[in-house]
Amino acid sequence: MSMFSRSLRRFQAQDTPAENVAPDHTRSSIATVTPRRVAVVRGRVRSATVTPDGPRWLEATIDDGTGELVLIWMGRHSVLGVEQGRLMEVEGLVTRFQGRLAIYNPKYTLLPG
């Protein structure tokens, strides 16, 4: 048995301590999210634009009634379904971009309505 196989078998046999399990992220309002934390928020797209100069990316702003959050997809000029007025739920690491709360390359779900 190779060293890799032994290590893999030993790893698979270990119990995972509760503190190592990823937390279940519950949906938050934009007003309550903070930078350097993973957040799940739901909001409506208020604007979606592509940067005109330099590296291309799609920038969309969502609003949930409590605040706004910028979503940035690096290297993309469009993301199917992300358009003004669309309701969506996003998840990702919150950061600051030009003084505004932002998530880069978020996981997202397009919602009806």
Side-chain angles (χ1 to χ4, degrees):
M1 182 180 295
S2 73
M3 187 173 175
F4 175 75
S5 297
R6 284 191 303 272
S7 296
L8 181 59
R9 189 166 281 169
R10 190 170 40 242
F11 174 76
Q12 290 171 335
Q14 294 176 348
D15 290 332
T16 305
E19 65 269 10
N20 291 337
V21 176
D24 180 26
H25 300 290
T26 57
R27 191 170 52 236
S28 304
S29 66
I30 293 173
T32 63
V33 301
T34 56
R36 299 176 57 173
R37 302 262 187 229
V38 173
V40 177
V41 297
R42 182 178 285 189
R44 194 164 300 278
V45 177
R46 294 291 171 220
S47 65
T49 58
V50 176
T51 56
D53 300 324
R56 293 260 185 213
W57 69 69
L58 174 67
E59 185 177 311
T61 302
I62 62 169
D63 183 328
D64 71 350
T66 69
E68 293 184 343
L69 178 68
V70 178
L71 309 174
I72 300 169
W73 284 272
M74 304 296 293
R76 303 288 301 267
H77 64 274
S78 68
V79 174
L80 189 61
V82 177
E83 55 196 26
Q84 189 171 0
R86 185 65 186 242
L87 183 62
M88 59 190 307
E89 185 170 279
V90 299
E91 177 180 356
L93 181 66
V94 178
T95 186
R96 289 229 175 249
F97 173 73
Q98 298 178 346
R100 301 177 293 167
L101 293 172
I103 297 177
Y104 285 84
N105 300 313
K107 295 179 188 175
Y108 68 96
T109 303
L110 301 173
L111 303 170

